[in-house]
Amino acid sequence: MNYKGEYHYRTGSTKQLLQGSALTNFLLRKTGKNWDSVPLENVSVEDLDKESFDIFHREAIRSGRVSKDDLKLSNMELLEKLNLLDGTLMKRAAVLLFHRNPEKWITGSFVKIGFFETDADLRYQDEVHGSLMIQADRVIDLLYTKYLTAEISYDNITRIEHYPFPKDAIREAIFNALIHQDFSVGVPVQISVYKDKLYISNDCVFPEDWTADTLMQKHRSLPHNPDIAYTFYRAGFIESWGRGIEKICTLCREYGIPEPEYTLHRNDIMMLFKTRVPVNVPVNVPVNVPVNVPVNQRQKQILLSIKENPRITALQLSQKLVVTDKTIKRDLQYLKVNKIIEHVGPDKTGHWEVKE
């Protein structure tokens, strides 16, 4: 190490320069510790938050990854079981996971959300503070109640809300951001929401030579904060074998939107979710429906597709409109119930008719 607080070391023939948080994490690993396993003084189990433990118990029961006997343990015994103690001291992970105000020790340990009209036009924002248990519990609800607008359709009299992004994929991405976050930097996890896209970014420390392509391939589970990751796993928040990105991509494909795009910088990662490409209905093509029946853009495109090809199938429609088969079936049922279309003949060999 030199007087500038830098450290040079060689890997093969390559000389690496480490400084700042990367240097801190490197030196910790040399001692056999990770950043989240460092013990903290002047904090006790009595300082931890009851609601945070309640959230862990609720989710652990739901996931079945904690035995009933373990859930009867005292908070101190549970921390020991989760490997969150270093002797009699609590690790940083314990404070982040279960303290009501972890920012007292760890600056920037919260989530920041903003809605942008354009990159330069921030309309409104929120910050979600508290333990990681509370953040994991509340960020998703806030996104889907305040920041994301659902497309409304009906199945008979049942109201169906279709959000631009699959909730399970966004949840997995946010949980991944929390467990891989480099909290030593002091910068919060940030979520930027637009009408047609959503960014999730967090500071992190990647293994050497990792690229965006590495993330998209099968890889071993290597969380930056293994103690936090283990508790999230036991609560049922995440999988344990590095399948998070694979799961996110699968959920996006099934939902009919593109797989997320990853941008890796030296000390952070940004994940971009995009909505499906909207299908434009030509304005000069009439689509006659009863005036009291609301029809959205996708349903109008279904009607035009049926007029072009009365024998078109639900699968062909889903491929053409880049949405799931379930979504198309809901739309077809809605159009049938409202007597806008009718299916004539057997299911496999019949055809559709648009009522004028």
Side-chain angles (χ1 to χ4, degrees):
M1 183 181 294
N2 60 28
Y3 71 94
K4 295 180 181 178
E6 299 175 345
Y7 182 85
H8 294 83
Y9 75 103
R10 288 189 177 274
T11 55
S13 61
T14 304
K15 190 175 183 181
Q16 302 288 334
L17 170 64
L18 293 177
Q19 53 190 349
S21 62
L23 172 59
T24 301
N25 287 295
F26 173 79
L27 295 176
L28 278 172
R29 287 195 296 273
K30 295 283 282 186
T31 65
K33 287 185 178 292
N34 293 288
W35 183 89
D36 68 338
S37 68
V38 174
L40 291 175
E41 297 183 348
N42 301 319
V43 57
S44 68
V45 68
E46 289 76 19
D47 298 324
L48 301 185
D49 177 51
K50 179 181 181 302
E51 182 183 4
S52 299
F53 280 105
D54 289 344
I55 292 170
F56 176 83
H57 279 75
R58 183 193 71 207
E59 297 302 321
I61 291 171
R62 184 180 301 171
S63 70
R65 291 180 181 167
V66 177
S67 70
K68 292 181 180 179
D69 289 339
D70 286 348
L71 291 173
K72 295 177 183 177
L73 297 174
S74 68
N75 289 344
M76 179 63 84
E77 291 169 331
L78 180 61
L79 293 176
E80 179 71 41
K81 195 79 174 182
L82 294 172
N83 302 319
L84 295 175
L85 299 179
D86 185 336
T88 59
L89 297 178
M90 277 184 285
K91 296 179 180 180
R92 284 170 171 162
V95 174
L96 279 163
L97 285 159
F98 293 107
H99 198 282
R100 193 77 178 187
N101 182 26
E103 293 167 72
K104 180 178 179 180
W105 291 270
I106 301 156
T107 303
S109 53
F110 63 94
V111 177
K112 191 172 184 177
I113 310 172
F115 184 87
F116 293 81
E117 192 69 33
T118 66
D119 289 346
D121 186 6
L122 173 64
R123 289 303 181 90
Y124 50 90
Q125 64 179 350
D126 287 283
E127 294 178 353
V128 181
H129 296 265
S131 70
L132 293 186
M133 285 290 120
I134 288 177
Q135 292 177 40
D137 194 54
R138 294 182 182 169
V139 168
I140 306 299
D141 285 342
L142 181 59
L143 274 175
Y144 279 81
T145 55
K146 181 175 180 179
Y147 283 84
L148 297 176
T149 303
E151 186 178 84
I152 307 300
S153 61
Y154 290 86
D155 185 353
N156 291 330
I157 62 173
T158 303
R159 175 188 169 103
I160 299 170
E161 297 182 343
H162 185 85
Y163 286 93
F165 312 105
K167 185 178 289 189
D168 287 345
I170 299 299
R171 179 186 292 111
E172 185 80 18
I174 291 172
F175 291 171
N176 278 350
L178 290 173
I179 66 172
H180 290 285
Q181 169 76 339
D182 183 2
F183 290 100
S184 66
V185 177
V187 178
V189 172
Q190 298 179 34
I191 304 172
S192 304
V193 184
Y194 296 73
K195 290 182 67 175
D196 58 351
K197 59 187 176 181
L198 181 149
Y199 292 95
I200 300 172
S201 61
N202 64 283
D203 286 86
C204 56
V205 178
F206 281 106
E208 293 176 47
D209 302 326
W210 274 40
T211 65
D213 290 337
T214 307
L215 289 173
M216 302 303 290
Q217 301 166 359
K218 184 174 178 59
H219 57 272
R220 63 193 177 107
S221 178
L222 194 64
H224 178 61
N225 299 300
D227 290 328
I228 293 173
Y230 180 68
T231 300
F232 266 49
Y233 169 73
R234 293 296 295 272
F237 286 150
I238 61 168
E239 299 294 336
S240 65
W241 292 102
R243 291 185 58 250
I245 292 175
E246 178 186 343
K247 180 179 178 182
I248 291 168
C249 291
T250 299
L251 289 167
C252 288
R253 288 195 303 269
E254 292 175 348
Y255 206 70
I257 65 171
E259 293 182 3
E261 299 174 9
Y262 293 85
T263 303
L264 270 62
H265 301 113
R266 182 173 180 177
N267 295 313
D268 67 85
I269 181 173
M270 180 176 290
M271 182 183 298
L272 167 60
F273 290 86
K274 294 181 179 179
T275 59
R276 62 181 174 82
V277 178
V279 178
N280 294 320
V281 179
V283 295
N284 59 339
V285 179
V287 179
N288 298 320
V289 298
V291 294
N292 61 335
V293 179
V295 176
N296 61 35
Q297 284 288 96
R298 185 181 61 249
Q299 291 161 352
K300 289 180 181 180
Q301 185 64 26
I302 290 173
L303 294 174
L304 292 174
S305 298
I306 289 174
K307 285 186 174 183
E308 293 171 359
N309 177 16
R311 297 187 183 277
I312 194 168
T313 66
L315 177 59
Q316 290 170 334
L317 283 168
S318 69
Q319 293 170 344
K320 182 176 182 179
L321 276 64
V322 198
V323 295
T324 64
D325 188 42
K326 288 183 179 179
T327 298
I328 291 297
K329 288 179 178 178
R330 285 198 302 264
D331 285 337
L332 290 172
Q333 181 65 19
Y334 174 77
L335 295 171
K336 285 167 62 178
V337 168
N338 285 283
K339 303 186 184 305
I340 298 171
I341 62 173
E342 179 184 2
H343 192 268
V344 180
D347 289 342
K348 292 186 177 180
T349 59
H351 66 277
W352 294 101
E353 291 184 357
V354 179
K355 300 295 183 180
E356 297 294 345

